Amino acid sequence: IMQDTKKFFENLSGAGKSIGVLTSGGDAQGMNAAVRAVVRMGIYVGAKVYFIHEGYQGMVDGGDNIKEASWESVSSMLQVGGTVIGSARCKDFRTHEGRLRAALNLVQRGITNLCVIGGDGSLTGANLFREEWSGLLDELVQSGQISEEAAQTHSALHIVGMVGSIDNDFCGTDMTIGTDSALHRIIEVVDAIMTTAQSHQRTFVLEVMGRHCGYLALVSALACGADWVLIPEMPPKDGWEEQMCHKLSESRLRGSRLNIIIVAEGATDRHGNPISSNTVKDLVVRCLGFDTRVTILGHVQRGGTPSAFDRILASRMGVEAVLALLEASPGTPACVVSLCGNQAVRLPLMECVQMTQEVQKAMDEKRFEEAVKLRGRSFENNLNTYKLLSHRKIDAELPRSSFNVAVLNVGAPAAGMNAAVRSAVRVGITEGHTLFAVNDGFEGFSKGQIKEIKWGDVGGWTGQGGSLLGTKRTLPAKHIDKIAEQMRIHNINALLVIGGFEAFESLLQLVDARSRYEEFCVPMCMLPATISNNVSGTDLSIGADTSLNAIVEVRLNFGPCFMLTCDRIKQSASGTKRRVFIIETMGGYCGYLATVGGLAAGADAAYIYEEPFDIRDLQSNVEHLTEKMKTSIQRGLVLRNENCSENYTTDFIYQLYSEEGKGVFDCRKNVLGHMQQGGAPSPFDRNFGTKIAAKAMQWISKKLKEFYRTGRVFANTEDSACLLGMRRRALVFQPVIQLKDETDFVHRIPKEQWWLRLRPLMKILAKYKTSYDVSDSGQLEHIVRLRAKDISAI
């Protein structure tokens, strides 16, 4: 039955079709990954794919600017920043004559499908071109430049857009290609500045890109715990100068040695007057006399290699764009491939462009709250979380709840745990609760390693890797009596547990113990934090993104003459012999890191437990690599999840590839080990941890009020012990009891895992024939428009 209901893309043929791919406007990291995905997916389905170099300028100029792409021509593009096929601002394409020349160049090569990767200006231009297409062809027929037959054959132009913009300024998508990488550059600078600023007790004013959109400034402020942020969508109220200086001096008095202020380049006050980074610096020096420095990041934010997130996003979007072109009919509107939560969706391009323009209009007319709503839920959630965390109220202003909430880490360390703890503590204090930190998980809990944690105790925690509270894998059942006793002694009214599979099992044990111990009849919430991403009830866990970046960037020490990164593997064989790298990733029985890391690093194969393999599969992979190595491609990458097979060990696979590759390629192997758990958290993990912890603490507050009866908290319903997870498009609280049936406890993995649907993508992009189910791919949806009365109701 499944076979009948599923729609397989094998039925979508690209035979006889030609696709042109171009990058336009400002460059963004990840554009090359998108181009690579379009080229390989296009060739895979039997279409011809053409590079259009130098954006629209190349389309207008024609000639060598429009070249057919081959499979090999996009090899080693994945890890390169910028755009390899070039981008340009093009005045000619804005003229009718320019578009006429462009149409002629496309028709001559049979290109009637365009994939445009750029900002809203580039995509608007593409839509205009599509609308004018039949008229342009009529003109070309009349002037004798093309035949009537050619005009009929190429009568419809199909357009699919992908947004490549570091500003994340396009409505309809949670993230644009390049935004995450730009955040990586900003956070690298902030982390470096923090060390020097603390040495000297300095204030740093950081100016980041975002002429019309404050996303980069806002998220980097969240990710580094900045003292103040200035963005165009939410100009500060009159008298902000005094407020900001008061906040800076107060933080110094509490012992902070540094202050960070982040300014978006387009920041203004309520009257439209620009606020520059130098204005802010002069203000701080004049009012407070603090040693203040300005750092303007500029084009550094566009530079460097793309992050794992951007490579995966661009690869998924590139494949989706080709599917959208294959399914397009003459009446289909131009669409843009977007990300909503963790879901690829297709939206009508012009609806998104109009919404984007409405944001600017709202800002021009000083309707700032509406502008924030129009930016979308991702932007609004970030802003609300920042407001919750940034302004420490004076104790006298705080509501007093008399509730005690304990926070602890359970399981293995994961980057982003500290950001989550900081967020939970500060939101909890703002809600009026007394927060207690538990050291060393449930083991520490049983020993009474519990003490109150205050606002200032978690300063500077967002950028710290590992777990500052200390974490252990110990489950509570072992010490249940003592834990109940400590709950009683400290009068703990709610629990927030941040961790991986052990945290999930712990909550189940505590719920089970409620019938015997009233102390556990309190609201309990779990936040998934594990690099393995193996917890039921969530698509993503805190720490997994940092780990993917470690796989993509990590240094592999292959003896004294080899110091390489996964990316440098791409160049390591250049000018030398062909080489295949066998890399073992962590993850227990969960193949998430191997699969998604494989997609991000351009692996040829990824062996995982969830997809059983035998010697015939290994043989076919070796043969596939051998054939590939006979082309101009000189490197291969094979990932193996640590528990994918008892007998096909990393050593066995290394020896097999070494033997079979003799005379064609040689092999190197590396076991990444615990370096995947280490390092500073990525911007995504800092932000994700911060946001979900704030949401969890608000849920705890609500439940505490709900279950407070006759002077005490008593909660023993299923929905009073939940896991907060990202499910496709939304953050959802799910009772842990209900997640039991979704879990394989023997192998510590969910029974169904969404990322397994990405495996065919990895295989297609590595030139394997495979079956890809597109019934779950993005179908054209309409953008949700907010009317004025809806906005006031939200």
Side-chain angles (χ1 to χ4, degrees), residues 419-444:
V421 172
R422 169 190 177 267
S423 173
V425 166
R426 291 196 168 177
V427 173
I429 290 170
T430 303
E431 301 265 310
H433 313 317
T434 303
L435 268 288
F436 285 87
V438 181
N439 294 114
D440 298 336
F442 282 108
E443 198 172 299

Side-chain angles (χ1 to χ4, degrees), residues 184-255:
H184 272 255
R185 298 298 91 78
I186 294 168
I187 294 306
E188 282 161 17
V189 171
V190 173
D191 285 353
I193 277 174
M194 277 179 145
T195 54
T196 175
Q198 282 180 324
S199 307
H200 297 275
Q201 278 202 304
R202 279 198 178 133
T203 296
F204 268 89
V205 182
L206 237 81
E207 185 181 300
V208 301
M209 280 183 167
R211 207 167 306 141
H212 306 293
C213 179
Y215 187 88
L216 288 179
L218 176 58
V219 175
S220 47
L222 256 183
C224 71
D227 295 273
W228 202 267
V229 66
L230 292 156
I231 57 171
E233 291 86 350
M234 195 48 69
K237 294 190 168 81
D238 290 348
W240 65 273
E241 298 93 337
E242 196 181 313
Q243 252 186 319
M244 184 185 78
C245 291
H246 176 70
K247 187 176 181 210
L248 296 179
S249 63
E250 200 189 36
S251 112
R252 280 287 165 97
L253 288 171
R254 287 200 312 270

